[in-house]
Amino acid sequence: MLPTKARWSIGSVDPKAADALSQALNVSPLIARLLAVRGLTDIGHAARFLHGGTDQTHDPFLLDGMADAVKRIRRAMEAGEKIRVYGDYDADGVSSTTLMVHLLRQMNCRFDYYIPHRIHEGYGLNIAALDAAKEQGVKLIVTVDTGISAVEQIAYANSIGLDVVVTDHHEPPDVLPPAYAIINPKKPGCPYPFKQLAGVGVALKLAQAILGRWPEELLEFAAIGTVADLMPLTEENRIIVKQGLERMRQTANFGIRALFRVAGIPLKDVNSTHIGFALAPRINASGRLLSADTSVRLLTATSEQEAEELAVELDQLNKERQRIVDEMAKQAVAMVEEQRSVDGELPKAIVLAQEDWNVGVIGIVASKIVDKYYLPTIILGIDKETGMAKGSARSIAGFDMYRALTHCQDLMEHYGGHQMAAGMTLAREHLPELARRMSALAMEWLAPEDFIPVMHADMLCEFSEVDLESIRQLELLGPFGMGNPSPRFVFKELALKDMRTIGKEQQHLKLSLQCARNETAAAVDAVGFGKGRLAEWISPTASIDVLGELSVNEWNGVQRPQIMIQDLGVHRVQLFDWRGTPRPDRKLSELCGRLKRHPQGPGRPPAVVVFGPEPPPNLKLSGAGFALWCASLHGRFRPCNEAAKDNALSEAHDVMLYSLPDRMEQLDALAAEAASVQRYYAAFGGTEEDKQSGILPGRDMFKSVYGAVMALKPKPASAEWTARRSGVPLPLTRFILDVFTELDLMESLGDGYRIIESTEKKDLTASLLYQSRMKRQDVEQELMYSSAKELLSRLFARHKQTQTMLEGII
């Protein structure tokens, strides 16, 4: 077994609805099933989703405040008043500012733009910036992606003779600022039908109203901000991004071209994922580390040379940002693990703070910690001069971060956000109490299963449905992002044809998978980025379940289907075939080391089972890191070291079959005892006795051993002395002595064996040990010379039969 990283939630499909869609829309059954599972069962609605365009956008004047905003901006244009675009430092704010710059530039306005410094000024309008605007002759300020909460600042702007038009998309406060006009689809009473526009989407609607047409030339900027700000790619947002991507693939914008060039992405291949993971991080990097002005200058550059220089600068900033994030994340993980070692367990919510942490990237670090531990997380940077801690929070499903912070509001100077993400400022002396309360709230609000992430898949899929044309048609459902995720499929019980790790540090996993029910079918490649560590936990005989996305892999002009693995699991007991290894003790040492770096953290020590009365001396002496058990002929298991006494065999996940059993019934007993086993490791060797375990001693050997012990009577004879005296090899001598003991012809004492006087004759075949040795060849044939797949079937069948029997009893 190999547990999945997440709980899988798999959608179900109405086959009749899918068939109707496939026929009416002329799409593949796979696409039709995806439409149906996503609720697009109405043929007209599905057709508009697939092929709809600008006709599905809304009249910009439905936005409350739009008429007043357009009127004031036109008046400023006609009078030659200086307009200042006031933006935000994230990718949405940068793209919003850029869009307005291109709009006002083409309308020959007097204008400039301003974005506050993240660290020195913080978010939103501020009094000093307004004073500077007044001194510089600005008459009208148009905010983008900010301003909806700036009640005090806009009142001040009014008092010094500045008009402010607010365009924003954030949640409005109870009291709105006294701006000349406010455009926000979420504003109370606003009749605009689509409420999920990004800040740049609202700016685009303003441009549409001013121009009196759909502003196609501005769509690529709107696409950047919409994707980067994680807006749902549905309805109007989907049209904006879809058309924006089409323009982007043939863009003449120097900045966008240069940015994709440094990211190594051909323009013709650009999709929404490239915006989210290539463009947005580089655009955000300037605002996180220095000033967002660099990004605006790039996207508004008027020469290729200027754009190239700025793109390289942003790329370097992004690499520096990555370095800082990696360093902070390592420090954060070390702090979590130290806390775990002290308390013996992880807290239910993580709160970490340090003086030298860059507050521009704390949100990214918080996300990384959530990815690793799946716990609500707050990361804070402390200003050592003021003692104030500025933090960023990321949550998990079921834990409302904003609500949690509200329970802690007495500790904070300021906080804001929503269910999954938030920010806050508080004094450093309140941090311990914040950590205590957050963990207590998580314990109170969350059930144990809530601490396991959920991964959603659209549906179960068969390899027979995966062909190149169906995969190409998936693009009809794009662009993909929030609200319209890339389709994910679950493939079950796949056979492993090949497995290897790839990448510079072998950090990625590549599998070649086949349908287990049809081994003659073509294999499909599957790639798991960052999953290379799983390779040592997957047996070649494993039956694998995969949750992933479909793509087309092209190599040397040949295109083949490919699965991009998001998660995988093995839900049956696995067998690792170590038969024939010359040094099972070394393999055991490797296993102990591997278990310490298990993907889900160190677990229980492996159970090492020796079939015989005593373990080999080397195992008994080393003993550390594994639980050592000896199995009797009757299938009773005796702990042979402290680890075995502390860790029940019934709870072991990893069981190594160190030596060969004498009877197949011993494996039945093990299957009954090792109820929690996930992985068997079959070595079937490793003791001196095993090397001669197939030899059945003749009667002359029995006589020689008996005579040697008799000669020392009444003193007990050790096995070693008896072997030297009789000339019978020591392993066989031990076997013979044990047979005599079982038949009550001898007794085993602490210092050797002694004859028991008896006139009753005993038949050697009455000994279970002797019977087992007689059948040894059958056991060897079944366990040593079968294929790995056959051996797994036998072990699993015994395990399954035993489990069924136990479940019936329970």
Side-chain angles (χ1 to χ4, degrees):
M1 294 179 184
L2 178 65
T4 58
K5 180 181 178 182
R7 292 175 288 153
W8 293 359
S9 172
I10 307 172
S12 57
V13 182
D14 179 349
K16 291 183 179 179
D19 288 344
L21 288 167
S22 181
Q23 293 177 21
L25 301 175
N26 192 29
V27 294
S28 71
L30 184 66
I31 301 301
R33 292 174 66 201
L34 282 169
L35 290 169
V37 81
R38 295 188 175 195
L40 295 166
T41 54
D42 179 82
I43 292 174
H45 188 191
R48 287 191 295 274
F49 177 83
L50 293 176
H51 308 297
T54 310
D55 57 311
Q56 293 186 47
T57 62
H58 307 294
D59 182 349
F61 287 97
L62 289 175
L63 283 159
D64 186 56
M66 182 64 78
D68 289 339
V70 171
K71 179 180 177 181
R72 180 64 185 89
I73 293 170
R74 286 195 177 279
R75 194 175 81 200
M77 292 177 182
E78 293 165 0
E81 294 177 345
K82 186 175 181 180
I83 302 171
R84 175 160 292 175
V85 179
Y86 196 110
D88 186 25
Y89 38 66
D90 68 1
D92 188 13
V94 165
S95 56
S96 302
T97 303
T98 299
L99 185 149
M100 291 301 297
V101 167
H102 282 279
L103 172 69
L104 297 177
R105 183 185 285 171
Q106 74 182 52
M107 303 205 58
N108 296 314
C109 297
R110 284 186 64 215
F111 75 95
D112 62 11
Y113 67 88
Y114 184 84
I115 296 179
H117 194 284
R118 181 191 291 262
I119 297 175
H120 299 151
E121 296 175 84
Y123 173 78
L125 293 163
N126 64 79
I127 301 300
L130 294 172
D131 285 336
K134 178 66 176 178
E135 292 173 7
Q136 292 160 14
V138 173
K139 297 294 185 181
L140 172 64
I141 290 178
V142 179
T143 74
V144 286
D145 193 35
T146 190
I148 194 66
S149 299
V151 177
E152 178 185 344
Q153 293 83 356
I154 292 178
Y156 179 78
N158 292 341
S159 72
I160 61 174
L162 289 176
D163 286 342
V164 180
V165 168
V166 171
T167 75
D168 202 351
H169 73 127
H170 295 98
E171 294 292 337
D174 293 335
V175 178
L176 295 175
Y180 189 94
I182 298 175
I183 308 172
N184 185 332
K186 296 177 182 174
K187 187 170 67 171
C190 178
Y192 198 74
F194 185 60
K195 305 296 184 182
Q196 299 300 319
L197 290 169
V200 73
V202 179
L204 182 75
K205 300 307 290 187
L206 176 59
Q208 182 184 6
I210 291 173
L211 294 171
R213 59 176 174 81
W214 183 242
E216 294 182 359
E217 69 276 20
L218 303 176
L219 286 172
E220 50 200 322
F221 310 117
I224 293 172
T226 302
V227 172
D229 218 42
L230 303 180
M231 291 295 103
L233 298 189
T234 58
E235 301 185 43
E236 200 162 11
N237 281 345
R238 185 164 184 272
I239 302 303
I240 290 170
V241 175
K242 189 174 184 179
Q243 295 187 2
L245 285 169
E246 290 170 0
R247 288 191 60 87
M248 204 174 284
R249 293 180 189 119
Q250 50 189 353
T251 185
N253 182 274
F254 294 120
I256 292 176
R257 293 172 67 91
L259 212 46
F260 277 124
R261 196 153 40 243
V262 297
I265 298 168
L267 278 179
K268 65 181 180 64
D269 297 331
V270 167
N271 57 35
S272 56
T273 300
H274 295 135
I275 293 178
F277 291 94
L279 245 64
R282 288 171 171 83
I283 291 171
N284 273 323
S286 63
R288 292 185 186 280
L289 301 185
L290 295 175
S291 166
D293 182 65
T294 306
S295 295
V296 178
R297 287 193 291 124
L298 169 70
L299 295 175
T300 57
T302 55
S303 74
E304 187 173 353
Q305 181 180 352
E306 180 189 11
E308 288 290 341
E309 292 172 355
L310 291 169
V312 170
E313 182 179 341
L314 284 184
D315 190 53
Q316 292 301 316
L317 279 174
N318 189 53
K319 289 176 180 176
E320 175 64 9
R321 188 270 307 168
Q322 290 172 325
R323 186 195 65 77
I324 293 171
V325 167
D326 289 344
E327 183 178 325
M328 287 173 57
K330 287 179 183 176
Q331 292 172 354
V333 168
M335 292 168 70
V336 173
E337 293 302 328
E338 182 180 358
Q339 191 172 352
R340 191 210 298 259
S341 66
V342 172
D343 299 337
E345 60 181 0
L346 289 172
K348 297 303 181 184
I350 295 172
V351 178
L352 304 173
Q354 199 158 291
E355 279 190 356
D356 56 350
W357 279 352
N358 187 315
V359 296
V361 299
I362 51 178
I364 303 175
V365 176
S367 294
K368 285 183 173 290
I369 298 301
V370 171
D371 287 343
K372 182 171 179 63
Y373 295 104
Y374 201 68
L375 293 167
T377 299
I378 300 176
I379 303 293
L380 306 102
I382 304 172
D383 187 319
K384 59 184 175 184
E385 294 183 2
T386 65
M388 296 303 293
K390 185 174 182 180
S392 189
R394 297 293 183 270
S395 195
I396 63 175
F399 188 82
D400 187 329
M401 183 60 74
Y402 183 79
R403 178 183 167 212
L405 292 178
T406 301
H407 279 262
C408 307
Q409 60 184 324
D410 58 303
L411 304 176
M412 289 176 284
E413 296 286 321
H414 169 78
Y415 73 97
H418 50 80
Q419 288 185 349
M420 299 303 291
M424 75 294 297
T425 303
L426 68 159
R428 70 188 305 164
E429 56 264 26
H430 294 319
L431 291 173
E433 177 62 13
L434 176 65
R436 188 195 68 78
R437 289 194 202 176
M438 294 295 291
S439 198
L441 288 171
M443 290 181 67
E444 179 184 345
W445 294 351
L446 298 175
E449 61 268 20
D450 292 327
F451 293 100
I452 303 173
V454 177
M455 197 168 283
H456 297 278
D458 290 276
M459 60 190 183
L460 289 169
C461 192
E462 299 289 340
F463 271 7
S464 59
E465 301 174 86
V466 178
D467 59 73
L468 289 173
E469 183 54 32
S470 294
I471 297 174
R472 292 190 188 101
Q473 284 192 17
L474 290 176
E475 290 302 319
L476 291 172
L477 304 178
F480 301 118
M482 293 296 291
N484 187 41
S486 183
R488 287 182 172 177
F489 306 92
V490 169
F491 302 89
K492 287 201 166 186
E493 297 186 1
L494 301 175
L496 185 61
K497 184 179 178 183
D498 186 43
M499 173 174 61
R500 56 194 175 98
T501 55
I502 58 176
K504 186 177 180 181
E505 299 176 358
Q506 304 299 300
Q507 70 272 40
H508 310 309
L509 181 68
K510 186 169 185 179
L511 308 177
S512 180
L513 300 167
Q514 286 180 307
C515 176
R517 298 184 300 276
N518 183 7
E519 296 185 5
T520 61
V524 175
D525 286 342
V527 177
F529 289 109
K531 300 186 184 298
R533 292 175 60 194
L534 295 180
E536 57 188 3
W537 301 103
I538 300 173
S539 164
T541 58
S543 175
I544 302 174
D545 294 347
V546 171
L547 187 153
E549 300 174 6
L550 293 173
S551 66
V552 176
N553 179 41
E554 184 169 350
W555 179 254
N556 288 337
V558 178
Q559 293 185 330
R560 297 181 62 189
Q562 179 175 258
I563 302 172
M564 307 308 295
I565 301 171
Q566 305 301 319
D567 198 8
L568 62 80
V570 179
H571 294 101
R572 294 185 181 181
V573 176
Q574 292 193 83
L575 170 71
F576 290 82
D577 189 358
W578 291 353
R579 292 174 297 179
T581 183
R583 292 291 303 273
D585 54 328
R586 289 183 179 174
K587 296 292 287 185
L588 174 58
S589 179
E590 291 174 15
L591 174 60
C592 293
R594 279 169 49 191
L595 285 169
K596 291 179 181 178
R597 56 181 188 273
H598 192 279
Q600 295 182 334
R604 293 181 175 87
V608 179
V609 178
V610 175
F611 294 97
E614 290 295 330
N618 62 326
L619 287 187
K620 197 167 185 179
L621 288 174
S622 60
F626 58 87
L628 182 60
W629 298 84
C630 281
S632 72
L633 276 176
H634 298 86
R636 287 188 284 272
F637 298 89
R638 176 172 62 86
C640 297
N641 65 0
E642 290 302 315
K645 294 175 184 177
D646 295 338
N647 295 273
L649 183 55
S650 61
E651 297 177 354
H653 292 165
D654 297 84
V655 175
M656 182 178 181
L657 308 176
Y658 196 86
S659 60
L660 196 68
D662 297 294
R663 307 167 64 226
M664 294 301 294
E665 289 80 2
Q666 289 175 296
L667 284 183
D668 296 335
L670 177 60
E673 187 72 23
S676 302
V677 65
Q678 296 182 2
R679 293 168 290 271
Y680 281 115
Y681 305 84
F684 294 146
T687 69
E688 285 299 316
E689 285 81 356
D690 282 334
K691 294 178 182 178
Q692 300 189 44
S693 61
I695 300 174
L696 183 65
R699 290 186 176 273
D700 55 336
M701 289 187 178
F702 277 88
K703 288 179 180 179
S704 297
V705 169
Y706 192 89
V709 177
M710 177 68 78
L712 204 61
K713 182 183 176 182
K715 294 181 179 180
S718 69
E720 291 79 6
W721 183 90
T722 304
R724 289 195 301 270
R725 176 67 180 256
S726 67
V728 176
L730 179 60
L732 293 179
T733 297
R734 286 199 177 105
F735 169 75
I736 293 170
L737 291 169
D738 289 338
V739 170
F740 283 146
T741 301
E742 184 186 356
L743 294 174
D744 291 328
L745 295 173
M746 292 185 186
E747 59 180 338
S748 176
L749 304 173
D751 52 353
Y753 295 81
R754 188 167 60 193
I755 299 290
I756 297 176
E757 297 294 343
S758 174
T759 59
E760 182 183 355
K761 287 189 176 184
K762 301 288 180 74
D763 190 338
L764 290 177
T765 59
S767 162
L768 185 61
L769 185 58
Y770 189 83
Q771 292 177 30
S772 300
R773 184 63 66 96
M774 289 176 66
K775 298 178 181 178
R776 183 69 166 190
Q777 286 187 342
D778 295 337
V779 173
E780 286 186 359
Q781 188 66 36
E782 186 164 357
L783 298 182
M784 292 298 290
Y785 302 108
S786 57
S787 69
K789 187 173 288 188
E790 289 170 339
L791 178 58
L792 174 63
S793 297
R794 286 167 183 154
L795 286 171
F796 182 69
R798 292 174 181 277
H799 181 79
K800 188 175 182 180
Q801 289 166 6
T802 306
Q803 293 307 305
T804 303
M805 180 182 69
L806 290 175
E807 288 168 6
I809 295 171
I810 293 169

